[in-house]
């Protein structure tokens, strides 16, 4: 991507200025505070905010395919920079990644969200707490809306007590009051909702979420 395309199509400041649904973060076309889906069939209840930066269409969809499916990991640094800029503007400090499905890293050798977290942690100095694990091996993209919602009921959980202690030691052994979930795409919001519900039950007061893209 040239500098001109990056500036034009991946402007974080512009993305943050868009009027969005206060529940799912989808760009609003109406004057109401929430989108029609969140008014009629809400999915998100425990996530305090959701901020998807860009729409999952056209070149964005193609770029995500090159990165996530074809394994073009040079894009990890680029996307991490966008997340960094967003976190700095929002004043968010602690990140909790949405974990990959079980066995994915062993099979493919990497995970796109973990790649982002390595850059955010090692290069940009953000605190990353890996508090969650994926229990289900079913891929969300292969499920319809109702199947996604049903799958999420048992798809995630906290990591082991030993790992929780190790992760919280990064924060002086303390549970942070606020964290920001990180994922690549928000489709129905069911993944973010499931993760936010677990984190709040664990005692975290405020849980938000940032995603690179949203299916709208």
């Amino acid at each position: 991507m040239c500098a001109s395309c990056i500036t034009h199509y991946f402007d974080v400041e512009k993305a943050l200025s868009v009027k969005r649904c206060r529940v799912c973060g989808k760009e609003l076309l109406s004057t109401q505070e929430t989108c029609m889906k969140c008014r009629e069939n809400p999915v998100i209840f425990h996530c305090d905010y959701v901020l998807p930066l860009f729409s999952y269409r056209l070149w964005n969809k193609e770029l995500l395919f090159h990165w996530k499916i074809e394994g073009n990991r040079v894009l990890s640094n680029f996307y991490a920079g966008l997340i960094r800029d967003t976190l700095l503007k929002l004043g968010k400090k602690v990140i909790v990644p949405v974990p990959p499905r079980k066995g994915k890293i062993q099979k493919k050798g990497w995970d796109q969200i973990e790649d982002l977290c390595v850059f955010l942690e090692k290069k940009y100095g953000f605190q990353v707490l890996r508090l969650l694990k994926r229990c289900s091996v079913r891929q969300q993209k292969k499920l319809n809306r109702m199947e996604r919602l049903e799958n999420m009921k048992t798809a995630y959980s906290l990591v082991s007590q030993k790992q929780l202690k190790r992760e919280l030691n990064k924060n002086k052994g303390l549970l942070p009051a606020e964290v920001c979930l990180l994922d690549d795409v928000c489709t129905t919001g069911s993944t973010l909702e499931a993760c936010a519900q677990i984190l709040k039950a664990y005692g975290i007061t405020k849980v938000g979420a940032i995603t690179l893209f949203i299916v709208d």
Side-chain angles (χ1 to χ4, degrees), residues 99-102 132-138 140 143 146-158 190-191 193-195 197-198:
R101 66 183 183 276
K102 193 173 182 180
L132 299 169
K133 66 178 180 180
R134 179 89 174 260
C135 304
S136 170
V137 296
R138 299 181 73 189
Q140 285 289 91
L143 307 178
M146 294 308 299
E147 288 172 334
R148 283 171 181 264
L149 297 177
E150 186 64 28
N151 188 51
M152 285 301 100
K153 293 179 181 179
T154 56
Y156 297 94
S157 70
L158 291 171
S190 56
T191 294
E193 168 61 17
C195 293
Q197 186 173 3
I198 292 167

Side-chain angles (χ1 to χ4, degrees), residues 24 67 85 99 101 107 148 172 179 186 198 209:
C24 71
W67 178 48
D85 293 345
R101 66 183 183 276
K107 182 179 179 180
R148 283 171 181 264
K172 300 179 181 180
V179 300
C186 177
I198 292 167

Side-chain angles (χ1 to χ4, degrees), residues 12 14-16 18 20-21 23-27 49-56 83 86 90 183-187 192 209-216:
V12 168
K14 182 179 178 181
L16 294 177
V18 170
R20 298 181 180 279
C21 172
V23 178
C24 71
K26 190 174 295 183
E27 185 173 348
Y49 64 86
V50 178
L51 178 58
L53 295 179
F54 310 104
S55 177
Y56 186 54
I83 297 296
T86 305
L90 296 178
D183 205 359
D184 52 1
V185 181
C186 177
T187 304
L192 300 177
I210 292 175
T211 68
L212 287 167
F213 303 107
I214 186 167
V215 176
D216 54 8

Side-chain angles (χ1 to χ4, degrees), residues 56-117:
Y56 186 54
R57 300 180 198 162
L58 302 175
W59 49 86
N60 288 343
K61 194 172 184 179
E62 186 175 342
L63 277 176
L64 189 69
F65 179 82
H66 285 307
W67 178 48
K68 184 176 179 178
I69 306 302
E70 294 189 336
N72 191 345
R73 295 174 70 176
V74 70
L75 287 165
S76 296
N77 188 28
F78 169 67
Y79 285 137
L82 298 177
I83 297 296
R84 172 207 59 191
D85 293 345
T86 305
L87 291 168
L88 289 175
K89 287 182 181 297
L90 296 178
K92 308 302 180 184
K93 299 178 180 179
V94 183
I95 303 162
V96 175
V98 171
R101 66 183 183 276
K102 193 173 182 180
K104 179 185 176 181
I105 294 179
Q106 184 178 5
K107 182 179 179 180
K108 291 195 170 185
W110 77 296
D111 172 64
Q112 72 278 7
I113 303 303
E114 179 60 22
D115 252 24
L116 292 181
C117 287

Side-chain angles (χ1 to χ4, degrees), residues 152-193:
M152 285 301 100
K153 293 179 181 179
T154 56
Y156 297 94
S157 70
L158 291 171
V159 296
S160 66
Q161 286 297 318
K162 183 178 180 180
Q163 189 172 344
L164 279 173
K165 184 177 180 180
R166 184 166 62 246
E167 291 298 309
L168 292 180
N169 281 340
K170 299 176 185 178
N171 194 44
K172 300 179 181 180
L174 301 174
L175 190 67
E178 179 179 354
V179 300
C180 181
L181 287 164
L182 178 61
D183 205 359
D184 52 1
V185 181
C186 177
T187 304
T188 63
S190 56
T191 294
L192 300 177
E193 168 61 17

